[in-house]
């Protein structure tokens, strides 16, 4: 799979409309993709085991998307094979009063993956330059110093995010950022399905249709966010997500190749430890 089709380059501006949400790449059917995903899960399981044992890097995977784009189900499918002990998922909703009493990164910094772990953010600090930018009046609730120039304010937030991501990378946190790209039409289809299926009703909130009215504003702020914050060390990937099965395959493939790139090895035993192993073996084998 060629990941260049999905990555947002760090050195030139992109337009979201140039990324096709309906793309299915080399796959001709859902079944074909499911088979590939199954293989992928096995690979991921093994790679995660070495990641955990080597305890040197943490992997931060960020998911952002419009409602009903499939964040939850992508996380469920891609991570279903990995050892739960080495994986942490955090979902970020509208901030609480306590969270607003801190800087906007605070709640996310507390949730960063430990070394050896895969940490998943279902939404993230990026909401601070997305939903909050679509509704700038919400800044009033954030207990901030007075804002004189809004353009400068958002630019500073992008810079702060880039700086923090660079700092994390320097400290062994590998960052992957996925935007699940669906069309407005596909969102409507999925909302209607949530409304018409009693078992899916709980996933729908009336506010989702209200937020949908801001679709074009969201596309604008997403595009600006990608263009300001896709960096060499922490790239954005725009994942075609009108077909959930394709989105899952692509995300799994990108995570796998990133882990492979790290070329991790199981820790080697020291001579002292090897002597201990020999001694322990002898004790066990001569046990009455
Ligand atoms: P689903 O796709 O199942 O609806 P969800 O991620 O949309 O999942 P919700 O329970 O709808 O989950 O709540 C998330 C809401 O919280 C989103 O509307 C999001 O924009 C909002 N949110 C997250 N972070 C912030 C933030 N920093 N400031 C304001 N709103 C935020
Ligand atoms: Mg929602």
């Amino acid at each position: 799979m060629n990941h260049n089709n999905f990555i947002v380059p760090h050195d030139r501006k992109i337009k979201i409309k140039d990324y096709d949400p309906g793309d299915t790449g080399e796959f001709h059917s859902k079944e074909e993709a499911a088979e590939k995903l199954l293989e992928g899960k096995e690979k991921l399981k093994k790679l995660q085991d070495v990641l955990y044992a080597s305890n040197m890097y943490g992997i931060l995977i960020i998911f952002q998307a419009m409602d009903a784009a499939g964040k939850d189900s992508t996380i469920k499918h891609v991570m279903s094979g990995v050892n739960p002990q080495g994986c942490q998922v955090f979902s970020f909703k509208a901030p609480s009063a306590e969270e607003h009493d801190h800087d906007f990164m605070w709640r996310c910094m507390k949730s960063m993956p430990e070394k050896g772990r895969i940490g998943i953010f279902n939404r993230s600090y990026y909401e601070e330059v997305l939903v909050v930018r679509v509704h700038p009046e919400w800044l009033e609730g954030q207990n901030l110093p007075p804002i004189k120039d809004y353009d400068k304010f958002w630019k500073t937030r992008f810079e702060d995010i880039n700086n923090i991501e660079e700092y994390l990378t320097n400290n062994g946190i590998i960052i992957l950022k996925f935007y699940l790209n669906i069309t407005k039409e596909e969102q409507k289809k999925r909302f209607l399905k949530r409304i018409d299926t009693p078992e899916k009703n709980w996933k729908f909130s009336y506010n989702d249709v209200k937020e949908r009215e801001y679709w074009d504003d969201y596309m604008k702020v997403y595009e600006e966010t990608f263009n300001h914050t896709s960096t060499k060390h922490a790239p954005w990937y725009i994942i075609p997500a009108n077909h959930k099965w394709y989105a899952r395959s692509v995300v799994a493939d990108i995570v796998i190749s990133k882990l492979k790139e790290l070329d991790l090895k199981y820790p080697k035993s020291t001579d002292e430890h090897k002597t201990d192993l020999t001694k322990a073996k002898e004790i066990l084998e001569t046990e009455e």
Side-chain angles (χ1 to χ4, degrees), residues 73-286:
S73 70
T74 306
I75 294 167
K76 185 168 83 182
H77 278 86
V78 175
M79 303 313 291
S80 62
V82 307
N83 181 352
Q85 199 154 251
C87 187
Q88 304 153 332
V89 184
F90 295 94
S91 297
F92 295 99
K93 315 264 174 195
S96 66
E98 188 196 13
E99 287 164 350
H100 270 160
D101 268 339
H102 292 268
D103 58 281
F104 76 86
M105 271 288 181
W106 181 72
R107 64 178 182 166
C108 292
M109 290 305 272
K110 280 198 307 181
S111 311
M112 283 299 159
E114 295 159 61
K115 301 276 169 73
R117 311 299 212 277
I118 298 178
I120 295 177
F121 283 5
N122 183 347
R123 301 189 188 273
S124 64
Y125 46 85
Y126 277 100
E127 292 291 331
E128 290 293 336
V129 287
L130 296 165
V131 68
V132 182
R133 198 164 178 199
V134 170
H135 302 283
E137 65 281 8
W138 293 359
L139 286 169
E140 279 164 36
Q142 292 201 359
N143 313 325
L144 294 168
I147 301 168
K148 292 188 194 91
D149 177 343
Y150 277 85
D151 283 345
K152 191 161 168 240
F153 174 81
W154 298 117
K155 233 174 137 206
T156 305
R157 277 207 168 169
F158 290 141
E159 281 166 15
D160 288 343
I161 288 175
N162 286 341
N163 289 336
I164 285 182
E165 289 183 346
E166 192 173 356
Y167 159 83
L168 290 168
T169 311
N170 292 339
N171 284 276
I173 304 294
I174 312 286
I175 306 172
L176 295 170
K177 304 182 293 203
F178 295 113
Y179 171 67
L180 302 185
N181 190 20
I182 55 165
T183 52
K184 198 175 176 191
E185 197 44 41
E186 181 62 25
Q187 189 193 52
K188 182 175 171 175
K189 238 169 70 188
R190 293 185 189 178
F191 278 172
L192 287 171
K193 196 164 173 199
R194 287 181 177 184
I195 293 168
D196 291 337
T197 317
E199 293 77 21
K200 287 186 189 278
N201 282 174
W202 65 274
K203 285 192 187 176
F204 186 81
S205 109
Y206 180 69
N207 194 49
D208 293 349
V209 269
K210 298 308 290 169
E211 227 30 46
R212 177 179 162 80
E213 291 172 14
Y214 297 95
W215 184 277
D216 293 344
D217 296 337
Y218 272 105
M219 289 306 111
K220 250 168 69 188
V221 297
Y222 263 111
E223 195 168 276
E224 270 219 33
T225 297
F226 300 148
N227 284 327
H228 279 93
T229 60
S230 198
T231 55
K232 245 186 194 165
H233 50 272
W236 273 106
Y237 294 89
I238 300 182
I239 308 294
N242 268 10
H243 300 281
K244 286 188 173 185
W245 46 269
Y246 187 56
R248 288 167 199 159
S249 285
V250 178
V251 168
D253 208 67
I254 294 171
V255 176
I256 289 166
S257 59
K258 194 74 209 176
L259 282 168
K260 273 190 185 155
E261 237 174 66
L262 296 176
D263 195 24
L264 296 172
K265 304 274 185 286
Y266 284 100
K268 278 216 174 81
S269 290
T270 57
D271 287 344
E272 199 186 345
H273 191 215
K274 278 185 194 154
T275 315
D276 281 352
L277 293 176
T278 315
K279 272 198 270 180
K281 191 171 172 188
E282 210 179 296
I283 293 171
L284 290 169
E285 284 177 347
T286 55

